[in-house]
């Protein structure tokens, strides 16, 4: 679906924010889940500047570091899409985006157990494969150095 | 610079489409006035519609991550709606393992004994998108919503099944790769753990995950 999402992004790129919102309201009224999802994502993407600015502002006030703010932006953008799947009682996308961002800051701010903010580990990492004959000298050196250090 | 002047500078920049990172404006005032300026700017951000001038840099780390997160949520939409992708993404952002979520569910529903394994199995299937979204109980969705700090309605609508097929929007004609776009095979279905003594707790777990909204 990723490729088709980007094609849809391209087709919606020429539309003004209010036109996208009108399409979104149409999709909500007709309960067209697929269109609704695509348009909610589009509105959330267009709200990212508001989310980012709000997270930085509020994050700074509660002492969040840069990384925690990035996580809050991520959480807020997901939550805004969730909200736009069903909530039509808003008149300003900026207001709803800022409100979701403020809530996300409260959720992401560090807690006592430190579990809330954990840096992402890369999904893949390089694993050094042993190559026959390569690096043996270095290993020997390291072992010798370690054994010397262990000696009293 | 006093508070009022700094605020006007920020608003001018925003209106002219040359907004700087908010820290730059906060640095213009004294520490005691920073909170007030932050409140004023938050109100401005909340009350103006997004404009093209606000488009963040594609190189910004938060934009890249948010875009990737939204893709992760949406690209695996299926019979459980976008709930599986949402759960996985929110869990990742919070640094939670699935075990943390199942432990919270076990505690919430007072599930004991062997039924815990069944709950873990069902939750794994939920994140893998192997359960019918319409069969998830409202009680379960409410409990999950509380864990992740969203409203229950958010998760109810997120779990609505998404039909496969292209959206109706016109796509611009572009060169396409010859790769199959939807080549991802559905994950192999695993068998439910066999319980020696399926008791009322196991029945509760089944109802939560497969009993329908009112179960």
């Amino acid at each position: 679906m990723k490729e088709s999402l980007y094609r849809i992004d391209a087709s919606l790129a020429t539309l003004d924010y209010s036109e996208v919102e009108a399409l979104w309201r149409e999709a909500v009224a007709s309960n067209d889940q697929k269109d609704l999802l695509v348009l909610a994502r589009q509105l959330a993407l267009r709200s990212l500047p508001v989310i980012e600015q709000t997270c930085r502002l509020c994050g700074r006030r509660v002492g969040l570091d840069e990384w925690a703010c990035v996580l809050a932006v991520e959480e807020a953008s997901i939550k805004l899409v969730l909200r736009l799947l069903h909530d039509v009682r808003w008149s300003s996308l900026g207001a709803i985006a800022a409100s979701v961002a403020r809530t996300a800051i409260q959720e992401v701010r560090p807690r006592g157990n430190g579990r809330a903010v954990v840096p992402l580990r890369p999904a893949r990492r390089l694993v050094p494969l042993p190559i026959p004959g390569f690096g043996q000298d270095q290993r020997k050196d390291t072992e010798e150095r370690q054994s010397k250090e262990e000696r009293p | 610079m006093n508070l009022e002047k700094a605020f006007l500078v920020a608003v001018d920049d925003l209106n002219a489409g040359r907004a700087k990172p908010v820290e730059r404006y906060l640095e213009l005032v004294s520490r005691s006035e920073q909170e007030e300026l932050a409140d004023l700017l938050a109100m401005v951000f909340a009350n103006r519609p997004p404009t093209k001038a606000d488009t963040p840099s594609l190189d910004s780390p938060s934009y890249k991550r948010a875009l990737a997160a939204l893709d992760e949520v949406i690209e695996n939409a299926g019979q459980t709606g976008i709930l599986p992708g949402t759960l996985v993404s929110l869990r990742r952002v919070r640094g939670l393992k699935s075990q943390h979520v199942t432990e919270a569910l076990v505690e919430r529903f007072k599930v004991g004994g062997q039924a815990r394994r069944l709950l873990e199995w069902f939750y794994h299937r939920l994140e893998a998108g192997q359960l019918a979204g319409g069969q998830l109980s409202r009680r379960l969705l409410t409990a999950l919503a509380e864990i992740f700090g969203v409203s229950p309605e958010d998760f109810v609508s997120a779990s609505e099944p998404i039909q496969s097929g292209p959206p109706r929007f016109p796509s611009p004609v572009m060169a396409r790769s010859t790769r199959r776009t939807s080549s991802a095979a559905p994950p192999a279905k695993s068998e439910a753990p066999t319980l020696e003594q399926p008791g009322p707790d196991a029945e509760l777990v089944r109802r939560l995950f497969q009993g329908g909204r009112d179960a």
Side-chain angles (χ1 to χ4, degrees):
Chain A
M1 187 161 177
K2 207 168 192 170
E3 284 185 31
S4 69
L5 273 179
Y6 294 155
R7 283 202 290 274
I8 293 162
D9 282 346
S11 68
L12 294 175
T14 54
L15 299 184
D16 186 39
Y17 148 74
S18 55
E19 290 171 311
V20 178
E21 188 190 330
L23 283 173
W24 172 81
R25 289 194 182 275
E26 209 177 284
V28 175
S30 61
N31 198 23
D32 185 335
Q33 289 291 320
K34 204 165 179 72
D35 284 356
L36 184 56
L37 190 56
V38 164
L39 291 162
R41 172 180 173 277
Q42 184 64 216
L43 288 176
L45 285 178
R46 292 183 184 214
S47 305
L48 272 178
V50 176
I51 291 176
E52 187 165 5
Q53 298 277 36
T54 310
C55 283
R56 280 178 184 281
L57 272 173
C58 301
R60 191 186 158 106
R61 280 164 51 196
V62 296
L64 291 192
D65 62 10
E66 178 69 23
W67 177 248
C69 285
V70 168
L71 289 180
V73 171
E74 203 175 326
E75 177 157 338
S77 58
I78 295 170
K79 288 182 172 177
L80 182 59
V81 169
L82 292 179
R83 185 97 173 256
L84 291 174
L85 290 181
H86 65 92
D87 190 355
V88 289
R89 298 162 302 167
W90 53 268
S91 53
S92 159
L93 183 62
I96 193 174
S99 150
V100 170
R102 273 197 293 267
T103 313
I105 284 290
Q106 296 303 318
E107 296 285 337
V108 174
R109 64 190 296 186
R111 294 167 191 158
N113 59 10
R115 191 189 283 170
V117 184
V118 178
L120 260 185
R121 290 197 186 124
R124 295 180 186 85
R125 64 190 175 92
L126 289 173
V127 178
L129 289 174
I131 300 172
F134 183 80
Q136 281 178 351
D137 294 340
Q138 288 92 324
R139 267 204 297 277
K140 208 180 284 175
D141 291 346
T142 313
E143 282 164 11
E144 280 172 11
R145 201 166 49 242
Q146 281 174 347
S147 60
K148 272 180 197 168
E149 283 170 3
E150 283 168 8
R151 274 182 224 143
Chain B
M1 193 180 286
N2 68 22
L3 176 70
E4 193 179 345
K5 201 168 175 188
F7 177 66
L8 290 175
V9 167
V11 172
D12 278 351
D13 284 356
L14 279 169
N15 289 337
R18 52 167 193 266
K20 298 173 192 146
V22 289
E23 290 86 351
R24 298 282 157 76
Y25 301 112
L26 296 179
E27 282 162 6
L28 296 177
V29 297
S30 64
R31 192 169 284 273
S32 59
E33 289 177 325
Q34 283 184 350
E35 191 167 334
E36 199 178 342
L37 180 59
D39 277 338
L40 289 171
L41 290 177
M43 272 195 294
V44 173
F45 293 135
N47 287 303
R48 56 197 292 277
T51 62
K52 284 192 175 175
D54 288 338
T55 306
S57 160
L58 295 180
D59 295 330
S60 139
S62 55
Y63 183 83
K64 278 185 189 168
R65 287 186 63 98
L67 184 61
L70 292 180
D71 287 351
E72 189 180 20
V73 165
I74 289 173
E75 69 187 352
N76 295 319
Q79 62 169 340
T80 328
I82 59 165
L83 189 61
T86 304
L87 291 173
V88 172
S89 297
L90 288 177
R91 206 159 51 66
R92 183 174 47 72
V93 170
R94 301 281 185 97
L96 297 172
K97 293 179 179 171
S98 60
Q99 191 190 343
H100 295 131
V101 180
T102 53
E103 277 170 9
L105 291 175
V106 161
E107 200 174 313
R108 163 83 180 247
F109 294 109
K110 309 273 186 290
V111 175
Q114 295 180 334
R116 290 177 66 133
R117 275 197 302 139
L118 187 64
L119 187 143
E120 284 163 9
W121 181 78
F122 267 118
Y123 184 75
H124 174 73
R125 292 193 67 196
L126 172 59
E127 282 200 355
Q130 293 175 351
L131 296 179
Q135 297 302 310
L136 299 171
S137 70
R138 184 174 285 272
R139 279 196 293 167
L140 174 70
L141 294 171
T142 304
L144 288 171
E146 279 174 18
I147 293 169
F148 290 104
V150 300
S151 86
E153 283 311 311
D154 286 351
F155 274 178
V156 170
S157 54
S159 66
E160 292 295 328
I162 307 283
Q163 301 300 320
S164 59
R168 69 190 164 95
F169 303 107
S171 298
V173 179
M174 291 182 187
R176 293 180 185 187
S177 70
T178 53
R179 283 186 297 122
R180 285 169 62 195
T181 51
S182 57
S183 58
K189 288 183 180 175
S190 59
E191 292 292 321
T194 45
L195 305 182
E196 287 165 14
Q197 295 170 329
D201 283 1
E203 184 53 34
L204 168 68
V205 171
R206 284 186 198 283
R207 280 207 313 272
L208 287 172
F209 285 88
Q210 292 183 313
R213 288 284 187 260
D214 298 327

